[in-house]
Amino acid sequence: MKGTILILLFLLGGVWVGKTGFPEFLITNDYSTTVLFCLLFAVGICIGSDKELLEKLKTQKPILLLVPLITILGSLLGAAVISFSIPDRSLSDCLAVASGFGYYSLSSILITEYKSADLGVVALLSNIIRELSVLIFAPLMVRYAGKLSPICCAGATSMDSTLPVITRVSGNEFVFIAILHGILVDLSVPFLVTFFCSI
Amino acid sequence: MKERTINLHYNRIFATKYNDSYLFIHMFSLILTLIAGVFLGRIFANNKLIRHIPKLIFPIVLVLLFIMGIAIGSNPDIINNLDTLGLEALIITSGALLGTMGGAYALGKYLFGRKEAKA
């Protein structure tokens, strides 16, 4: 609960700073890449110093490669069904937005380029909501939809920004599948987004 | 005309560095950083300083979200249309998440249910 409040507080604080534009060096430079590298380095150290992890990894099955496939099919199917409740957007619009899988920078840029600017903004917000909902609701996801669900819901972010939350709620033994899942879903984003933009 | 302006806004935070080859190099170096961390963590597993690093992870996630907030807040196209575009984004995302959770539930049931039955 304390974590959730902090997450929302920092996001809204960032929005406020961006809107007022007060400390100018924060607005004109993009530090996200640097921070992302720090995060992955810290996560790596966390994994490396866990001595029982290697034993746990041996119990993983190769069938877990199915997890990225489930993520992609589940997201697209869910978005396709719900697209009928948005009269302004076509089926392919909704599928293009949903195939961002949390990879907000890439998918919103591709959609802005191939479709329209406002759909690009929808994609950006959609991916941010996806990442945020995993950060906030991951414990609930595990309780009601099993230990794989935070990984699948995180989409492409399961290998970076949501990885710490996933390992906390699903267990350290899921770190390997979360990273592999993140990489595979990540790679699918440019292909799926351009495909749905072109139809 | 409208698309031009929004592209410029994206440029400032996101787009400048994103082209095809950059994206792959970016992802590759992220994975390398992670692997480097794993090896360092393994070698220095008993080091006091290293054992404090996991506590830094959540603060780093907060900093990332703060930066993401800046990207939203400094983009007038998002701020001015937040209600309609945000609602659409929320609807599409919840559809995608529900579909994903359904799939994850079924796969988890299949995998771990079977495992328990074996043991």
Side-chain angles (χ1 to χ4, degrees):
Chain A
M1 195 57 210
K2 197 181 135 209
T4 310
I5 294 170
L6 277 173
I7 283 169
L8 290 175
L9 220 63
F10 270 74
L11 183 73
L12 292 176
V15 172
W16 183 76
V17 167
K19 220 178 155 186
T20 55
F22 169 51
E24 210 170 292
F25 72 99
L26 276 180
I27 316 290
T28 44
N29 296 304
D30 181 12
Y31 296 102
S32 61
T33 318
T34 320
V35 181
L36 205 56
F37 275 96
C38 295
L39 178 70
L40 279 199
F41 189 64
V43 169
I45 285 180
C46 201
I47 298 168
S49 53
D50 185 341
K51 285 169 185 159
E52 292 152 31
L53 195 65
L54 207 67
E55 301 300 310
K56 288 178 187 164
L57 277 183
K58 285 177 188 159
T59 62
Q60 300 288 309
K61 292 179 184 160
I63 201 169
L64 287 178
L65 280 173
L66 271 179
V67 181
L69 204 65
I70 291 286
T71 303
I72 294 168
L73 292 179
S75 298
L76 295 181
L77 196 72
V81 170
I82 216 146
S83 72
F84 297 109
S85 67
I86 310 175
D88 291 352
R89 303 285 180 201
S90 68
L91 176 65
S92 62
D93 282 356
C94 291
L95 290 177
V97 170
S99 34
F101 304 119
Y103 198 164
Y104 58 90
S105 50
L106 176 64
S107 76
S108 51
I109 288 161
L110 287 176
I111 290 174
T112 304
E113 213 142 286
Y114 294 127
K115 282 262 180 176
S116 66
D118 59 331
L119 195 67
V121 175
V122 172
L124 177 70
L125 291 172
S126 160
N127 291 317
I128 290 171
I129 293 170
R130 187 165 184 151
E131 183 177 335
L132 265 187
S133 53
V134 174
L135 289 176
I136 295 171
F137 298 118
L140 288 177
M141 288 171 178
V142 168
R143 196 186 310 159
Y144 293 109
K147 286 184 173 176
L148 288 174
S149 62
I151 300 177
C152 292
C153 288
T157 68
S158 73
M159 67 171 212
D160 42 57
S161 54
T162 56
L163 184 58
V165 180
I166 289 169
T167 52
R168 200 172 65 214
V169 298
S170 299
N172 262 344
E173 66 268 34
F174 282 88
V175 74
F176 176 70
I177 184 63
I179 291 170
L180 190 69
H181 171 271
I183 294 170
L184 291 176
V185 174
D186 221 87
L187 287 173
S188 78
V189 173
F191 297 105
L192 286 174
V193 171
T194 34
F195 174 71
F196 288 121
C197 283
S198 63
I199 55 173
Chain B
M1 209 47 208
K2 201 184 162 201
E3 290 179 22
R4 229 11 311 128
T5 42
I6 199 160
N7 263 330
L8 287 177
H9 284 300
Y10 274 125
N11 268 337
R12 202 168 58 188
I13 297 283
F14 297 126
T16 36
K17 50 189 186 179
Y18 288 103
N19 54 51
D20 287 350
S21 63
Y22 176 84
L23 283 168
F24 280 101
I25 296 168
H26 184 253
M27 206 176 86
F28 193 65
S29 32
L30 270 181
I31 295 163
L32 276 185
T33 312
L34 183 80
I35 294 172
V38 171
F39 276 109
L40 273 177
R42 181 123 297 223
I43 297 166
F44 298 108
N46 297 319
N47 186 302
K48 259 190 183 160
L49 203 68
I50 290 282
R51 272 191 287 170
H52 284 296
I53 284 186
K55 289 181 201 160
L56 285 176
I57 289 177
F58 188 61
I60 298 177
V61 171
L62 290 181
V63 173
L64 263 182
L65 286 169
F66 186 71
I67 294 171
M68 199 150 83
I70 293 177
I72 300 172
S74 62
N75 188 334
D77 291 294
I78 301 181
I79 288 294
N80 296 334
N81 302 306
L82 205 59
D83 44 353
T84 47
L85 298 180
L87 184 66
E88 283 178 9
L90 193 66
I91 293 171
I92 297 175
T93 314
S94 38
L97 284 181
L98 284 176
T100 311
M101 278 200 276
Y105 178 75
L107 183 66
K109 203 91 184 159
Y110 172 70
L111 288 178
F112 306 128
R114 203 180 53 173
K115 200 168 157 189
E116 273 167 18
K118 261 187 185 171

